[in-house]
């Protein structure tokens, strides 16, 4: 029968340094193998095509690419990495072959594609450099190509390695089933038998064992022909689709006009039909041939290929194999001429598929924000000398929202453990390697309720009323900004500010930053250092320092853009972790930030205590806060716990919630975790707590007014359309074991900084919010 191979072509376009910690020589090593242990053959590099020379100088690249016969791997030339966001053009296509001889076609085994990042310091050179690169890899990133994809696939496959070696290797994978060579079976069915019968299917000794062996062989032959037909159809369809999408249409008119499978099988039947074939009464020979040929039209569904002889199946497989080879050659030549456009098209398709691909670990729901002032009593209530009219009653919360969310996530996690992934896409083993260890993300889309009309003090007013002066208007007035017509062709300056938490480091949020850069490589980012080692003082001082740092950064970037072209507009986004969110909101209330408020775009709050620590239920953590206040007199802890002033209405947090710090953001995403014991669950989500729903004291009134001041800002129509989401992240904490960190809830609080899977899920599911 016909031997076949899986050809998997890997195109490596470029190496982009996102966040490597060390300068040095780097190299990418690629290998592949069957996942199933029964498939012993390794993927063998069969063809390497260097499309373009590297963009590096001769002293920044050492040697050439290599193929290692010991492990059948391919390695790029070693190249130097000296600075962040450096690009290295590799532009090379490597084709691997995996033999299917003696195995069923199509394959039942997946293929594991392995990328290794090799590293040595810059000091090493020559033979020492090459010897060092053959040692253990600095990082590994594996992908699984499921059996369904082996008949044909064209996909983008970004390689990132890990959190400590954050890079982007732009890779595309192209797969087809190809014929290899023909060999003759020792036991061959008679060539003049076009329809197999009991005699042809019998073993020489007439035993049932021989009949079973022949039946098994016939099934494999039929499956091979079906697989080749499917591979051909996929390759033709995908090539046409890709060429059309990039406006470089390939003319397959002549090929398709000759692609008549009915004629193919009719011709083969005529060649193998003996002149002595007995005729069916009432039918001439031509009618019999036509009837047998027409059987082919339905063979994929009814299995009528089993009625064809070995020789006919062999010739059909050979002919279809030649058709696939022709199409594969056309595609590879087409790819070489249009490599960048094809990569961009596949990358866009990959991006669009992320939400569906990762929906296994995400649960979506939609809730309505309360459209009345939340009150704990039905009667008229007075707050700090101000009177609100009668509003609807809020019932006491009987269940703890944090416990409910945790139980919901664990139930979903258990259901995932029983799933069987039946996907056609390439699977990232950092995510799909162990389904139960991946974070569960519950996305709650909060829809805006109708405008409040019962309060004269409502924040709902026309966005132009009392609005801060437009920075663009100010710049125009002083002649520093071009006119409206020119602005339409100018650049939108996108800036994202990342703010760390208590005793944090400016690089704490680098994993979220890296994902943002992958979505929008043109964004400018500021990793705030203004409050590094200064997070124990007054939030007002920290907010002012951040405001100064942000305004200085914006002005510097604006000047740079103005020198190189026109500035059309600004999109200013913020990401905060823990109390970094309080610092962000405090900074936004500063006068020097007022001209920039109209340009606020997306706000991502990662476990931020927006309502302070009222009703914190973590007794151990509360004890730690008490010690910090007593022993170190930490001012920000006094403010978080509302002990900075005897009158709750004069406390820092109550006044902060009165400021319009959330009013101008177009997108607000609040990340929380029921496992995080460092920040009260309700405070991170800006929602009612179970304890406050039955608290009729002054503290309960203060909390409710703070809550509603925040919700009023989020609900306010100060922008055309605001997206407001609450995202619950439930981490798998089994790897942490039972220790103090998990017991007090610190492990989950820090997990937000040490893993980026949750950020991938959220950001790539809603990429429009981060552009």
């Amino acid at each position: 029968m016909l031997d076949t191979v899986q050809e998997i072509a890997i195109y490596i376009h470029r190496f982009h340094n996102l966040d490597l910690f060390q300068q040095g020589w780097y190299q990418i090593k690629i290998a592949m193998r069957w996942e199933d242990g029964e498939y012993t053959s390794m993927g063998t590099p069969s063809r390497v095509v260097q499309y373009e020379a590297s963009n590096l100088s001769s002293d920044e690249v050492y040697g050439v690419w290599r193929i290692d016969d010991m492990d059948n791997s391919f390695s790029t030339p070693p190249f130097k990495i000296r600075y962040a966001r450096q690009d290295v053009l590799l532009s090379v296509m490597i084709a691997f072959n995996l033999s299917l001889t003696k195995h069923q076609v199509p394959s039942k085994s997946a293929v594991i594609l392995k990328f290794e990042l090799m590293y040595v310091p810059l000091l090493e050179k020559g033979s020492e450099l090459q010897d060092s690169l053959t040692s253990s890899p600095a990082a590994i990133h594996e992908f699984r190509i499921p059996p369904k994809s082996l008949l044909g696939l064209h996909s983008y496959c970004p390689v990132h390695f890990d959190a400590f070696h954050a890079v982007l290797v732009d890779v595309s994978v192209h797969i087809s089933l190809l014929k290899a060579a023909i060999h003759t079976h020792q036991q061959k069915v008679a060539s003049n038998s076009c329809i197999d019968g009991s005699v042809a299917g019998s073993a020489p000794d007439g035993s049932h064992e021989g009949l079973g062996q022949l039946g098994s062989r016939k099934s494999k032959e039929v499956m091979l022909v079906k697989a080749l037909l499917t591979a051909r159809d996929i390759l033709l369809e995908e090539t046409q689709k890709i060429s059309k999408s990039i406006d470089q249409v390939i003319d397959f008119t002549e090929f398709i006009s000759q692609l008549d499978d009915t004629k193919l099988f009719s011709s083969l039947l005529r060649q193998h039909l003996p002149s002595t074939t007995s005729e069916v009464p009432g039918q001439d020979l031509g009618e019999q041939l036509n009837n047998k040929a027409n059987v082919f039209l339905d063979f994929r569904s009814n299995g009528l290929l089993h009625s064809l002889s070995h020789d006919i199946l062999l010739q059909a497989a050979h002919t279809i194999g030649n058709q696939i080879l022709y199409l594969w050659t056309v595609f590879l030549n087409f790819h070489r001429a249009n490599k960048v456009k094809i990569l961009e098209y596949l990358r866009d398709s990959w991006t669009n598929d992320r939400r569906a691909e990762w929906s296994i670990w995400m649960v979506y729901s939609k809730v309505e924000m309360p459209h009345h002032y939340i009150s704990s009593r039905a009667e008229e209530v007075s707050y700090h000398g101000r009177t609100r009219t009668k509003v609807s009653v809020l019932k006491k919360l009987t269940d703890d929202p944090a416990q409910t969310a945790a139980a919901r996530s664990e139930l979903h996690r258990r259901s995932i453990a029983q799933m069987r992934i039946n996907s056609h896409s390439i699977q990232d083993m950092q995510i799909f390697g162990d389904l139960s260890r991946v974070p569960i993300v519950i996305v709650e889309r909060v829809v805006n309720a109708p405008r409040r009309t019962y309060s004269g003090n409502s924040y709902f007013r026309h966005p132009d009323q009392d609005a801060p002066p437009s920075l663009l208007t100010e710049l125009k007035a002083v002649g520093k900004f071009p006119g409206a017509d020119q602005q339409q062709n100018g650049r939108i300056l996108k800036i994202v500010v990342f703010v760390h938490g208590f005793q944090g480091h400016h690089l704490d949020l680098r994993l979220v930053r890296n994902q943002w850069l992958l979505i929008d490589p043109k964004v400018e980012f500021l990793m705030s250092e203004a409050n590094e080692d200064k997070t124990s003082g007054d939030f007002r001082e920290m907010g002012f320092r951040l405001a100064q740092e942000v305004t200085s950064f914006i002005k510097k970037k604006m000047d740079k853009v103005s020198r190189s072209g026109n500035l059309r507009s600004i999109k200013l986004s913020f990401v905060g972790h823990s109390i970094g969110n309080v610092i962000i909101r405090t900074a936004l209330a500063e006068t020097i930030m007022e001209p920039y408020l109209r340009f606020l775009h997306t706000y991502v709050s990662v476990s931020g205590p927006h309502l302070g620590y009222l009703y914190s239920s973590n007794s151990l953590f509360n004890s730690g806060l008490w010690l910090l206040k007593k022993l170190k007199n930490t001012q920000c802890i006094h403010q978080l716990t509302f002990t900075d002033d005897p009158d709750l209405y004069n406390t820092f947090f109550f006044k902060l919630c009165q400021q319009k710090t959330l009013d101008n953001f177009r997108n607000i995403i609040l990340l929380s975790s029921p496992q995080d014991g460092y920040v009260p669950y309700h405070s991170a989500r800006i929602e009612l707590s179970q304890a406050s729903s039955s608290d009729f004291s002054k503290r309960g009134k203060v909390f409710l007014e703070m809550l509603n001041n925040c919700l009023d800002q989020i609900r306010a129509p100060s922008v055309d359309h605001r997206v407001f989401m609450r995202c619950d992240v439930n981490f798998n904490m089994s790897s942490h074991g039972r220790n103090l960190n998990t017991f007090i809830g610190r492990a989950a609080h820090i997990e937000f900084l040490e893993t980026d899977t949750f950020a991938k899920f959220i950001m790539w599911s809603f990429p429009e919010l981060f552009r």
Side-chain angles (χ1 to χ4, degrees), residues 422-493:
N422 189 24
S423 173
H424 186 77
S425 304
I426 296 176
Q427 298 164 4
D428 185 342
M429 296 303 285
Q430 292 179 355
I431 297 175
F432 288 86
D434 188 343
L435 304 182
S436 62
R437 290 185 176 271
V438 179
I440 305 297
V441 181
I442 299 178
V443 179
E444 186 180 87
R445 183 73 174 266
V446 185
V447 296
N448 287 342
R451 174 178 173 175
R452 263 178 54 192
T453 58
Y454 52 84
S455 170
N457 296 322
S458 173
Y459 289 115
F460 291 98
R461 55 168 68 98
H462 192 275
D464 292 335
Q465 295 178 0
D466 302 326
S470 168
L471 181 63
L472 298 182
T473 303
E474 289 182 352
L475 290 173
K476 243 189 240 184
V478 297
K480 292 184 180 180
F481 204 82
D485 294 336
Q486 292 177 320
Q487 289 179 39
Q488 298 304 315
N489 299 322
R491 175 187 169 186
I492 297 178
L493 177 60

Side-chain angles (χ1 to χ4, degrees), residues 328-619:
W328 186 242
T329 302
V330 169
F331 172 77
L332 291 178
N333 291 332
F334 176 72
H335 181 275
R336 182 170 188 173
N338 301 277
K339 55 187 178 298
V340 176
K341 289 184 178 180
I342 293 175
L343 185 74
E344 290 173 350
Y345 164 74
L346 295 176
R347 181 172 55 213
D348 291 342
S349 300
W350 180 89
T351 300
N352 294 334
D353 292 341
R354 286 313 87 204
R355 181 167 180 173
E357 190 75 18
W358 293 336
S359 61
I360 300 170
W361 297 277
M362 301 187 72
V363 182
Y364 296 93
S365 63
K366 183 181 288 187
V367 299
E368 184 177 288
M369 191 186 301
H371 50 257
H372 287 294
Y373 193 91
I374 298 175
S375 175
S376 57
R377 290 178 292 178
E379 66 271 15
E380 186 178 89
V381 184
S382 176
Y383 290 93
H384 199 48
R386 291 169 294 189
T387 302
R388 306 274 187 181
T389 55
K390 184 176 179 179
V391 294
S392 59
V393 180
L394 177 70
K395 295 181 180 179
K396 178 181 177 180
L397 296 177
T398 56
D399 298 323
D400 184 357
Q403 293 180 2
T404 302
R408 183 182 181 187
S409 297
E410 283 306 313
L411 183 63
H412 190 70
R413 189 183 300 279
R414 286 196 293 269
S415 68
I416 288 175
Q418 300 174 0
M419 287 184 180
R420 293 187 62 186
I421 305 299
N422 189 24
S423 173
H424 186 77
S425 304
I426 296 176
Q427 298 164 4
D428 185 342
M429 296 303 285
Q430 292 179 355
I431 297 175
F432 288 86
D434 188 343
L435 304 182
S436 62
R437 290 185 176 271
V438 179
I440 305 297
V441 181
I442 299 178
V443 179
E444 186 180 87
R445 183 73 174 266
V446 185
V447 296
N448 287 342
R451 174 178 173 175
R452 263 178 54 192
T453 58
Y454 52 84
S455 170
N457 296 322
S458 173
Y459 289 115
F460 291 98
R461 55 168 68 98
H462 192 275
D464 292 335
Q465 295 178 0
D466 302 326
S470 168
L471 181 63
L472 298 182
T473 303
E474 289 182 352
L475 290 173
K476 243 189 240 184
V478 297
K480 292 184 180 180
F481 204 82
D485 294 336
Q486 292 177 320
Q487 289 179 39
Q488 298 304 315
N489 299 322
R491 175 187 169 186
I492 297 178
L493 177 60
K494 303 174 185 178
I495 296 175
V496 187
V497 182
F498 297 86
V499 184
H500 60 81
F502 184 67
Q503 296 181 348
H505 189 271
H506 68 278
L507 293 178
D508 280 352
L509 288 163
R510 63 185 179 84
L511 298 184
V512 179
R513 176 205 62 188
N514 292 344
Q515 291 302 316
W516 203 309
L517 281 171
L518 290 173
I519 293 174
D520 188 355
K522 295 182 179 180
V523 71
E524 303 282 355
F525 61 86
L526 169 63
M527 310 299 289
S528 175
E529 301 181 52
N531 292 297
E532 201 164 5
D533 300 324
K534 302 174 185 176
T535 53
S536 298
D538 192 316
F539 276 119
R540 288 176 283 257
E541 296 174 359
M542 290 186 269
F544 182 69
R545 286 194 291 265
L546 176 61
Q548 288 181 315
E549 184 182 30
V550 170
T551 53
S552 175
F553 184 82
I554 294 174
K555 290 175 182 177
K556 181 176 69 174
K557 294 300 177 181
M558 286 177 61
D559 289 342
K560 182 178 179 180
V561 173
S562 299
R563 287 194 300 269
S564 59
N566 297 329
L567 177 59
R568 178 180 173 185
S569 185
I570 301 172
K571 287 184 177 180
L572 179 60
S573 301
F574 286 86
V575 181
H577 176 249
S578 191
I579 67 167
N581 293 284
V582 182
I583 300 172
I584 290 172
R585 291 177 57 198
T586 307
L588 292 175
E590 291 291 337
T591 304
I592 60 174
M593 284 295 298
E594 190 173 1
Y596 304 95
L597 298 182
R598 297 293 296 274
F599 306 112
L600 294 178
H601 183 56
T602 294
Y603 174 39
V604 180
S605 166
V606 183
S607 196
H610 295 280
L611 301 175
Y613 279 80
L614 282 180
Y615 306 109
S616 173
S617 58
N618 189 337
S619 57

